[in-house]
Structure formats: structure tokens, C-alpha cells
Amino acid sequence: MPPVLTVRFYATRNGTEPVRDWLKELPAEARKAIGEDIKTVQFGWPLGMPLVRKMEAGLWEVRSTIPEGIARVLFTTVGATMVLLHGFVKKSARTPAADLKLAQQRKREVHDE
């Protein structure tokens, strides 16, 4: 069965891919866990809690448990493409405002393309 969504990384104007770069900094075990969760979303979309939480219209988070804590990958969809906007390891119960704001800004850029 083919995936419901294809996945691509958000790219900045200068061509960097912040989520890809963030993932590369994580230990292999954490990367594998996050990758498996993204793959689950890719093949099972649309999904809800506990794996995916809607943040606002057009913005969701993939919720991964990794040895370092709780990882979040914020994404939007464009047609049948899941665009990974921002990733971070959560330190508190709430999503930090700066992380959410950054994802919202990138979401706007993606949808304005």
C-alpha cells in the first residue's frame, strides 16, 4: 500500500533544512524513533492522539518519545505532502511559544509558495 502522504523537509531561502539538520544532531536511537513515528503518520494519515495533535488550522505535531525526552516535529500539509517545519525536544508541558511561532511562520511561507 502506498503512503497517504509524501514527506519533505521545509527549506529556508538559502537552502538549509532545519528539521533535517536537527535530526542529524540527535543520537541514532532518537532519529529512528522519530522516523518511525513520521512514517506511521505518512501511511496512516489522518491520525489523532496520542501520536498526532492538531495545534491550529493546518498545523500539527508528531509526538515522539525518545531517550532524551519528548520530541516534537511540527508539520503542515500541502496537498498530499507532509512538510516538516520544525523539530525540538520538549522541556516542559507546554509547547514553547518561540517554537510554535517559528513553525507558524514557516507554515505561512510554505502555503504562500
Side-chain angles (χ1 to χ4, degrees):
M1 192 172 96
V4 178
L5 298 173
T6 57
V7 175
R8 79 173 167 94
F9 290 94
Y10 162 84
T12 63
R13 284 188 175 78
N14 63 10
T16 61
E17 295 174 322
V19 177
R20 188 188 300 267
D21 294 342
W22 170 73
L23 285 168
K24 285 179 182 172
E25 293 170 9
L26 295 173
E29 190 179 344
R31 281 198 308 271
K32 185 176 187 304
I34 294 166
E36 290 291 325
D37 288 341
I38 289 170
K39 187 175 173 185
T40 299
V41 174
Q42 196 183 354
F43 281 84
W45 184 254
L47 293 171
M49 293 288 276
L51 184 60
V52 176
R53 189 177 92 174
K54 186 172 188 169
M55 305 300 284
E56 62 182 46
L59 184 66
W60 296 267
E61 67 177 5
V62 178
R63 306 155 55 88
S64 300
T65 302
I66 59 172
E68 294 70 27
I70 302 165
R72 296 289 186 260
V73 177
L74 297 170
F75 71 94
T76 190
T77 56
V78 178
T81 302
M82 175 183 189
V83 183
L84 308 181
L85 300 170
H86 181 54
F88 61 98
V89 176
K90 231 167 129 168
K91 305 279 191 259
S92 64
R94 292 182 60 85
T95 298
D99 288 301
L100 186 57
K101 193 170 180 174
L102 182 59
Q104 290 167 330
Q105 177 189 334
R106 289 175 178 170
K107 179 184 92 169
R108 278 192 301 276
E109 281 179 42
V110 166
H111 288 283
D112 289 346
E113 285 176 346

